[in-house]
């Protein structure tokens, strides 16, 4: 079980002095940029007065000084943006990473043995690589561009895991009747991809897709069947659609697989209940796949995970990490809720 | 005449579709049954290995193990069917009675070999359970298909019969008294 937010905060050593020093450096840089702007503005006004007012000529000096002032003004914004980026990166390294690691180190798992390990590494600018994305078999279309951030990797008990934010797009070219072609970026995925080493060994592919429309009887069932199939992101390799014994599970999900027996081996009645419980607690749409002894969960959401509260503080001046703690809990709890540390089978 | 011909053609075409669908469903049942056979064999092999290690400690069980292995070989030669599965499980029951004696040998029970075999058995149990669920799901689908109108007309013409479902042994449905088991 993960520690509470308060327990985690108490154990976490936030390098407040370092962060404050960093903020001071950034403030100094910004002040310098602002000062240069004011100097250039005063020079511009003075030059205009001298050239147009006193000398009454059409010289270029006022224009040059005006350009200089504009440059200084733009510089203020770019320095502010660079400061913000640098501070966020440093904050993530010094606070978010240690927060994740502390959460796992303080966690208490049932039936812990000496083989259990609990740690989490963090790379704020990295993301899950293309090989793992392909391995998940969750995205059937071509992917032209992948960006992401906040890569967490580690081990929680006996289960190795990794997850990160991902944005994936593909290029679509359309040609109008005049022969003019336009290329647009179409979003394939925006959210978090989670991968964990599953507790059983299997080689095939099973995909669990959330139903868009949930109708189980009458004409609605027929209509929903076509619509759900049309919007399905399931890999076409998993071409056997199966219905399981859990009626509620079948109501929420479409299950497709390359091997029906293997799908039922993975999806025991207990795991189906665990998946239902997880989905009911979290509102984001998701797709789950099981491939080559790994479990992948794609959480669709445009929310900026693991960034909430950076640089902000509570009314009593403490760092506000509740949002980041909640986001991390969602993914660490997957390992607990799906009981991935129970390894009583050969793998 | 033409209308009659069209109606006849539609009936024949529908009959072909039903026949092919039923054959496809029946093959899925056979596939699931074959998988059960394979997993039972694998589980039996793992149980036998445990029994071999127990017998090396408890020599008086050697005869019982040999008898069970011979019975198993006879049953293995039979084609896959629900009866064969029932007979195999009865033979396995005998193996489990030997294996329960491992409780008297804590060193054996803690050994890596034993733990590995136990995990193998757990694995085979899960796969067996999955294969049974698959069999029952496909058998139910097949039975529903040949029983529904108008498929039941074509099913009786072609001689398709209902498939048996795999049932749990009555003794395993009884409530388990853990205290009695632990007392032995």
């Amino acid at each position: 079980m993960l520690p509470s937010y308060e327990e985690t905060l108490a154990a976490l050593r936030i390098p407040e002095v370092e962060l404050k020093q960093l903020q001071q450096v950034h403030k100094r840089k910004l002040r310098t940029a602002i000062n240069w702007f004011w100097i250039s503005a005063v020079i511009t006004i003075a030059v205009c007065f001298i050239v147009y007012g006193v000398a009454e000529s059409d010289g270029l000096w006022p224009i040059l000084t005006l350009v200089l002032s504009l440059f200084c003004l733009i510089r203020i914004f770019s320095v502010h943006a660079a400061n913000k980026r640098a501070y966020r990166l440093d904050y993530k390294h010094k606070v978010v990473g240690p927060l994740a690691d502390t959460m796992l180190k303080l966690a208490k798992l049932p039936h812990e043995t000496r083989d259990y390990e609990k740690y989490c590494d963090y790379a704020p600018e990295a993301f899950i690589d293309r090989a793992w994305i392909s391995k998940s078999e969750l995205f059937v279309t071509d992917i032209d561009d992948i960006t992401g951030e906040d890569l967490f990797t580690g081990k929680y008990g006996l289960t190795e895991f990794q997850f990160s934010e991902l944005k994936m797009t593909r290029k679509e070219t359309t040609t109008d009747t005049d022969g003019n072609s336009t290329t647009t970026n179409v979003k394939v995925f925006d959210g978090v991809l989670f991968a964990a080493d599953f507790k059983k060994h299997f080689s095939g592919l099973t995909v669990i897709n959330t139903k868009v429309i949930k109708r189980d009887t009458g004409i609605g069932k027929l209509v929903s069947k076509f619509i759900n199939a049309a919007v399905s992101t399931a890999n076409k390799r998993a071409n056997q659609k199966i219905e399981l014994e859990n009626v509620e599970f079948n109501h929420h999900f479409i299950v497709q697989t390359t091997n029906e027996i293997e799908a039922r081996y993975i999806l025991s009645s207990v795991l189906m209940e665990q998946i239902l419980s997880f989905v009911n607690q979290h509102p984001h749409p998701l797709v789950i796949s099981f491939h080559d002894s790994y479990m992948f969960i794609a959480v669709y959401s445009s929310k900026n995970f693991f960034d909430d509260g950076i640089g902000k503080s509570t009314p009593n001046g403490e760092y506000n990490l509740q949002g980041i703690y909640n986001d991390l809990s969602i993914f660490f709890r997957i390992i607990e809720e799906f009981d991935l540390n129970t390894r009583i089978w050969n793998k | 005449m033409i209308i009659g011909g069209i109606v006849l053609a539609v009936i024949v075409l529908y009959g072909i579709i039903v026949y092919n669908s039923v054959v496809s469903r029946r093959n899925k049942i056979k596939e699931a049954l074959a998988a059960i056979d394979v997993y039972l064999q694998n589980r039996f092999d793992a149980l036998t290995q445990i029994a071999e290690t127990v017998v090396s400690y408890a020599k008086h069980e050697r005869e019982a193990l040999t008898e069970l292995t011979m019975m198993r070989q006879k049953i293995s030669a039979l084609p896959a069917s629900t009866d064969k599965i029932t007979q195999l499980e009865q033979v396995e029951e005998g193996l489990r009675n030997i294996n329960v004696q491992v409780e008297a040998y804590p060193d054996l029970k803690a050994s890596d070999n034993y733990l590995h075999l136990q995990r193998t058995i757990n694995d085979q149990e899960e796969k067996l359970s999955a294969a049974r669920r698959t069999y029952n799901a496909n058998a139910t689908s097949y039975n529903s298909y040949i029983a529904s109108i108008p498929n039941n007309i074509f099913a009786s013409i072609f001689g398709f019969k209902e498939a048996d479902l795999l049932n749990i042994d009555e003794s395993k449905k009884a409530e388990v008294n853990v205290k009695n088991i632990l007392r032995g």
Side-chain angles (χ1 to χ4, degrees):
Chain A
M1 203 166 129
L2 289 171
S4 66
Y5 173 63
E6 289 74 24
E7 282 169 349
T8 311
L9 215 56
L12 186 64
R13 291 211 183 103
I14 298 175
E16 294 192 37
V17 171
E18 277 183 55
L19 287 170
K20 278 196 169 53
Q21 277 175 349
L22 190 66
Q23 280 183 315
Q24 296 304 322
V25 166
H26 291 159
K27 275 185 186 156
R28 268 200 300 274
K29 282 184 187 169
L30 190 63
R31 226 176 294 125
T32 306
I34 292 171
N35 288 344
W36 275 110
F37 169 70
W38 286 125
I39 290 168
S40 65
V42 164
I43 291 172
T44 302
I45 293 166
V47 165
C48 284
F49 177 73
I50 291 166
V51 170
Y52 297 135
V54 174
E56 291 184 3
S57 75
D58 296 328
L60 287 176
W61 280 108
I63 295 168
L64 290 172
T65 53
L66 185 65
V67 165
L68 178 66
S69 296
L70 282 171
F71 172 78
C72 289
L73 185 66
I74 293 167
R75 177 107 178 97
I76 292 172
F77 290 109
S78 84
V79 165
H80 177 66
N83 284 349
K84 205 172 158 186
R85 241 186 342 265
Y87 180 76
R88 282 180 90 82
L89 200 58
D90 213 52
Y91 184 95
K92 284 184 168 190
H93 273 296
K94 290 184 166 61
V95 179
V96 177
L99 172 70
D101 195 48
T102 304
M103 281 173 76
L104 289 192
K105 287 202 162 43
L106 292 179
K108 293 206 181 350
L109 290 166
H111 318 298
E112 280 196 39
T113 65
R114 59 169 184 257
D115 295 326
Y116 275 44
E117 291 179 68
K118 290 182 276 186
Y119 66 88
C120 183
D121 297 324
Y122 174 57
E125 294 187 304
F127 51 90
I128 289 182
D129 67 35
R130 198 178 259 268
W132 280 98
I133 295 170
S134 299
K135 191 174 171 128
S136 74
E137 303 263 12
L138 283 170
F139 309 101
V140 295
T141 59
D142 293 328
I143 299 168
D144 292 308
D145 188 42
I146 305 174
T147 56
E149 59 177 6
D150 299 323
L151 175 65
F152 295 89
T153 55
K155 198 166 179 183
Y156 188 23
L158 298 173
T159 308
E160 289 175 357
F161 66 86
Q162 55 175 314
F163 57 92
S164 81
E165 287 190 275
L166 280 177
K167 271 190 183 61
M168 297 191 282
T169 56
R170 71 165 191 278
K171 291 192 189 335
E172 237 178 42
T173 305
T174 50
T175 311
D176 63 21
T177 48
D178 297 327
N180 302 317
S181 52
T182 320
T183 304
T184 48
N185 284 331
V186 175
K187 186 167 77 175
V188 171
F189 175 72
D190 185 4
V192 175
L193 180 63
F194 173 92
D197 153 44
F198 196 67
K199 52 190 173 177
K200 293 178 181 175
H201 176 71
F202 51 89
S203 55
L205 170 66
T206 299
V207 181
I208 303 172
N209 241 318
T210 309
K211 275 185 184 171
V212 171
I213 297 175
K214 296 167 188 169
R215 290 283 183 272
D216 296 327
T217 56
I219 297 287
K221 183 177 178 181
L222 199 64
V223 172
S224 71
K225 186 179 165 183
F226 285 105
I227 292 176
N228 287 324
V231 301
S232 169
T233 58
N235 192 303
K236 295 297 178 268
R237 196 160 70 81
N239 56 8
Q240 272 188 68
K241 187 166 161 289
I242 64 171
E243 290 225 334
L244 295 155
E245 300 86 351
N246 189 317
V247 173
E248 199 190 343
F249 192 86
N250 292 332
H251 176 72
H252 284 284
F253 303 110
I254 299 170
V255 178
Q256 287 169 254
T257 182
T258 53
N259 183 323
E260 185 174 357
I261 295 174
E262 199 174 74
R264 290 180 196 274
Y265 167 65
I266 295 165
L267 293 169
S268 61
S269 51
V270 170
L271 186 62
M272 283 193 274
E273 288 293 335
Q274 288 165 342
I275 291 173
L276 278 169
S277 169
F278 178 76
V279 163
N280 287 336
Q281 289 171 47
H282 305 292
H284 309 292
L286 48 87
V287 184
I288 303 173
S289 72
F290 297 89
H291 181 225
D292 199 20
S293 303
Y294 278 85
M295 174 184 195
F296 299 89
I297 302 179
V299 179
Y300 286 76
S301 174
S302 54
K303 173 186 167 181
N304 195 355
F305 285 87
F306 321 114
D307 272 34
D308 187 29
I310 287 183
K312 294 180 190 152
S313 55
T314 59
N316 56 4
E318 289 173 350
Y319 285 95
N320 187 354
L321 301 172
Q322 182 77 62
I324 298 173
Y325 170 89
N326 291 343
D327 288 344
L328 287 169
S329 296
I330 294 171
F331 297 98
F332 290 152
R333 284 211 172 97
I334 288 173
I335 294 166
E336 290 176 8
E337 289 183 24
F338 293 164
D339 205 16
L340 298 185
N341 285 322
T342 297
R343 305 271 170 137
I344 60 171
W345 307 274
N346 274 338
K347 187 178 160 149
Chain B
M1 181 83 173
I2 294 169
I3 294 170
I6 292 169
V7 168
L8 186 65
V10 166
I11 291 169
V12 167
L13 192 64
Y14 188 76
I16 292 169
I17 292 169
V18 168
Y19 182 85
N20 290 342
S21 291
V22 172
V23 164
S24 171
R25 282 169 163 76
R26 196 175 57 180
N27 286 342
K28 281 188 180 173
I29 296 173
K30 285 184 185 171
E31 193 185 330
L33 208 53
I36 292 172
D37 202 15
V38 167
Y39 294 136
L40 278 173
Q41 175 67 56
N42 291 345
R43 189 175 71 176
F44 187 88
D45 290 344
L47 283 168
T48 307
Q49 285 184 58
I50 289 187
E52 288 284 354
T53 52
V54 169
V55 156
S56 67
Y57 281 72
K59 300 207 183 334
H60 57 278
E61 294 291 356
R62 170 57 66 184
E63 223 176 275
L65 178 59
T66 309
E67 203 181 311
L68 284 167
T69 311
M70 281 172 62
M71 278 171 65
R72 200 339 171 155
Q73 277 168 1
K74 278 188 196 155
I75 297 166
S76 291
L78 299 171
S81 68
T82 50
D83 284 338
K84 179 181 174 182
I85 290 167
T86 311
Q87 286 180 51
L88 283 170
E89 286 174 343
Q90 284 168 355
V91 169
E92 274 189 5
E93 200 54 45
L95 267 182
R96 289 182 197 280
N97 289 339
I98 295 173
N99 290 348
V100 83
Q101 293 182 50
V102 76
E103 299 300 328
Y105 307 102
D107 287 344
L108 170 60
K109 205 174 163 192
S111 70
D112 287 342
N113 189 37
Y114 178 85
L115 291 171
H116 169 74
L117 287 169
Q118 195 58 56
R119 278 198 291 271
T120 303
I121 291 166
N122 292 343
D123 212 23
Q124 294 306 318
E125 295 276 2
E126 291 268 339
K127 285 178 177 164
L128 208 42
S129 169
R132 282 183 216 271
R133 287 162 61 202
T134 304
Y135 174 90
N136 281 345
N138 286 321
T140 305
S141 169
Y142 168 87
N143 290 344
S144 302
Y145 191 80
I146 63 170
S148 57
I149 296 167
N151 300 338
N152 55 352
I153 301 166
F154 292 98
S156 63
I157 292 169
F158 294 129
F160 292 122
K161 294 189 170 39
E162 262 196 17
D164 296 326
L165 294 178
L166 291 174
N167 292 316
I168 303 172
D169 192 55
E170 283 304 318
S171 64
K172 292 192 174 139
K173 285 184 193 172
E175 280 191 24
V176 174
N177 188 323
V178 179
K179 273 191 193 163
N180 286 347
I181 291 168
L182 291 176
R183 279 199 209 112

